[in-house]
Amino acid sequence: MSRHTRVVPSVPARPTLRRRRDLLADGWTDRGLARAVADGRLLKPRPNPYLLPDTPVDVVDACRLGGRLACVSELVRLGVFVLDADGLHLHLHDNREGVATPTRRTRRHWDRLRRPPAPWTTSVEGFDAVLQAVRC
């Protein structure tokens, strides 16, 4: 490695949701989806979206609760050191109450995002996670 080579750490990719209609358009059937969920090849955190089985637990929990991973929870997923990472921080949009009851300590964020994520993403952008962490 030359002395001018810069090593840039890799950032973990954000897991993405797959909607039922997208999977059906890709050739899946309802029976095939049900079998994949039963076999553990797909996760179904709530009605409609599906996730791959290697999706981090915090992301699955945020999706199950109807939101996106946010604040210090997303920073931890990105490999950023935080002082207090207890509980699950999630962003709920449009004043959504959530679709399930949390099973652990949860901090909900309702603020308007500076960089709105695409509908199929499972977490807020890193920039918004930092802003949330500063205010949290």
Side-chain angles (χ1 to χ4, degrees):
M1 187 181 307
S2 87
R3 65 185 177 111
H4 298 290
T5 303
R6 176 187 249 181
V7 177
V8 178
S10 63
V11 176
R14 287 193 297 172
T16 57
L17 294 170
R18 294 295 311 267
R19 295 176 296 191
R20 178 181 167 273
R21 70 177 178 202
D22 297 332
L23 292 169
L24 292 176
D26 287 345
W28 285 81
T29 62
D30 283 329
R31 182 175 286 166
L33 289 172
R35 197 170 25 250
V37 170
D39 294 346
R41 292 178 287 138
L42 286 175
L43 301 175
K44 188 175 181 182
R46 65 176 191 258
N48 191 13
Y50 293 85
L51 295 166
L52 294 176
D54 62 349
T55 303
V57 174
D58 282 352
V59 172
V60 175
D61 286 348
C63 291
R64 184 178 56 79
L65 294 170
R68 290 184 173 92
L69 197 63
C71 192
V72 295
S73 296
E74 173 60 5
L75 293 176
V76 167
R77 191 192 71 77
L78 291 171
V80 176
F81 171 78
V82 297
L83 288 175
D84 183 11
D86 287 345
L88 176 69
H89 291 249
L90 67 136
H91 180 263
L92 295 169
H93 50 85
D94 299 332
N95 292 330
R96 189 173 188 166
E97 289 296 325
V99 294
T101 304
T103 56
R104 60 181 168 147
R105 191 172 76 118
T106 303
R107 170 76 164 92
R108 294 177 175 96
H109 294 272
W110 306 94
D111 50 336
R112 186 179 66 83
L113 299 174
R114 301 286 186 250
R115 297 182 179 168
W120 55 86
T121 58
T122 56
S123 60
V124 300
E125 294 282 340
F127 180 78
D128 282 304
V130 170
L131 292 177
Q132 290 170 333
V134 167
R135 292 183 297 231
C136 188

